[in-house]
Each structure stands twice: as C-alpha cells, then as structure tokens.
Amino acid sequence: IKPVELPDFGYTARVPRHGEFNLFNPAQRQVAGRLVGDLLSQPDPQAMLSVAAYARDRLNPTLFQYALAVALVHRKDTGNVPVPSFLEMFPTRFVDPALFPKLVEEGFVVQQGERVAIEVPPSFSASETDPEQRLAYFREDIGVNLHHWHWHLVYPQEGPLEVVDKDRRGELFYYMHRQTVARYNVERFCNRL
C-alpha cells in the first residue's frame, strides 16, 4: 500500500455501513457507480489497492465488494487478478452460520486423512407445505446465483461510460435473463406447477 490522495467518500453515506446494499435501489446504485469510477480513476493497480484498502474498512461491505469486483473486471491492468467470489466473501448468505465452527474444526484442527464430510442441510426459505417450495433447489442454487452476480459485474447498470457503454448490452441483458426465466419455467413444469 502506498500513500495516495484519497477520494472524498462522503457520497457513500447513502449506503449505511452496517445496512443492506441493493442494486435495485437507484440511489445506492448511483453510489456504486461512482465508487467504481473512483477505483477505476486510479493511475495504477497499486494506487487502486491503496484506495481500496482505505475504503474497505469504512464502507458497506457488499457495496465495497461489488465496486472493487467491477473495477477489477474492467481495468486493463488487472485483467489477470482473480475476482473474489461472492460466496467466498459472504458465505453466511449461502450456508447456515451455525455450521461454521464445525467447518473450521474439520478444516484446520483435524488431520487431512481423518477429516469427515459435514452435511450441509438445505436451508429453504419457505414451508414444505407451500408447493412453490419444490423449486427452492433452483431459486437458491449457489451456482445460478453466483452466475447472476458475476453477470452484473461484467454488465453493471451504473458507472463510468467505458464500463456501461457496451455493444449489444441491452440485447445481452434480455437474452441472459430470458434464458434463466425459460429454464425456471421448465423446472416449474417438471415439478407440476
């Protein structure tokens, strides 16, 4: 980390540090776009890292992770930097946090040859009496949700022109979402819904 002139992050106050970040909220989406711009405007990856290190401890974690990931994907000089997965950054959004002590113990305390698999029970969002619950496996699928998240990193709604102004952007948005909905409808038919 090197000394750099830090941008004024006062505008990020519209996204509470310990609140929820939502790209469907227009004000929060604008904040995210501006933060992406601040990260992209740094002259080199080391300067961006310095600004990111400062921002990480002061901003909403989901907002920060989203903006940093978009910036990493769109900078030419960070194309080979692996973008952390949303699952890796926020595992408690996908797996019951009560399992983490067991996972840590198996991963770090138990010797490699003596480890046993830990069953991760499905954590559905509705009652089994609700017929729609039969589709929870699709709606709550980690891979499908991570694909959707990554797609929005590549095609963000807000940000500098060089990030959002892409050829066939609207067409690709429609196509990807339409394919996901079409697959969901097939799954509904398969589950007699």
Side-chain angles (χ1 to χ4, degrees):
I1 295 177
K2 67 179 187 178
V4 294
E5 186 173 331
L6 296 169
D8 177 13
F9 288 130
Y11 63 89
T12 62
R14 290 187 279 173
V15 183
R17 167 92 169 99
H18 299 290
E20 291 296 321
F21 168 67
N22 185 343
L23 282 171
F24 292 108
N25 177 320
Q28 292 187 2
R29 188 171 56 239
Q30 288 174 346
V31 168
R34 189 166 167 192
L35 183 56
V36 168
D38 282 343
L39 293 170
L40 287 174
S41 69
Q42 299 308 307
D44 55 58
Q46 289 74 28
M48 185 177 84
L49 175 64
S50 298
V51 170
Y54 176 82
R56 180 184 177 272
D57 293 331
R58 290 162 178 81
L59 305 182
N60 177 286
T62 311
L63 165 66
F64 170 76
Q65 200 270 352
Y66 170 78
L68 179 61
V70 171
L72 287 172
V73 166
H74 289 90
R75 281 184 71 110
K76 293 188 182 353
D77 54 5
T78 58
N80 61 349
V81 175
V83 176
S85 161
F86 195 68
L87 173 63
E88 294 167 359
M89 298 298 294
F90 304 103
T92 58
R93 293 185 182 215
F94 297 92
V95 178
D96 182 2
L99 286 174
F100 285 101
K102 290 181 191 175
L103 295 171
V104 168
E105 181 180 348
E106 280 300 318
F108 295 107
V109 177
V110 178
Q111 296 298 317
Q112 181 75 26
E114 299 172 14
R115 293 182 184 162
V116 296
I118 295 177
E119 182 179 337
V120 178
S123 127
F124 297 127
S125 55
S127 164
E128 297 215 8
T129 60
D130 182 0
E132 290 292 328
Q133 187 57 26
R134 286 185 257 162
L135 285 168
Y137 69 89
F138 185 84
R139 287 189 308 269
E140 299 177 10
D141 182 85
I142 292 173
V144 171
N145 282 288
L146 289 177
H147 163 73
H148 188 239
W149 175 259
H150 183 76
W151 195 93
H152 281 283
L153 298 180
V154 176
Y155 297 99
Q157 293 176 287
E158 298 271 345
L161 194 58
E162 67 269 15
V163 171
V164 296
D165 187 26
K166 294 187 174 145
D167 186 39
R168 300 175 52 216
R169 177 177 170 220
E171 175 188 350
L172 294 171
F173 176 89
Y174 176 80
Y175 179 78
M176 189 281 290
H177 287 84
R178 179 68 188 116
Q179 291 300 310
T180 303
V181 171
R183 174 62 188 266
Y184 184 69
N185 285 335
V186 168
E187 296 295 329
R188 288 182 61 78
F189 285 129
C190 292
N191 282 282
R192 299 179 183 170
L193 293 172

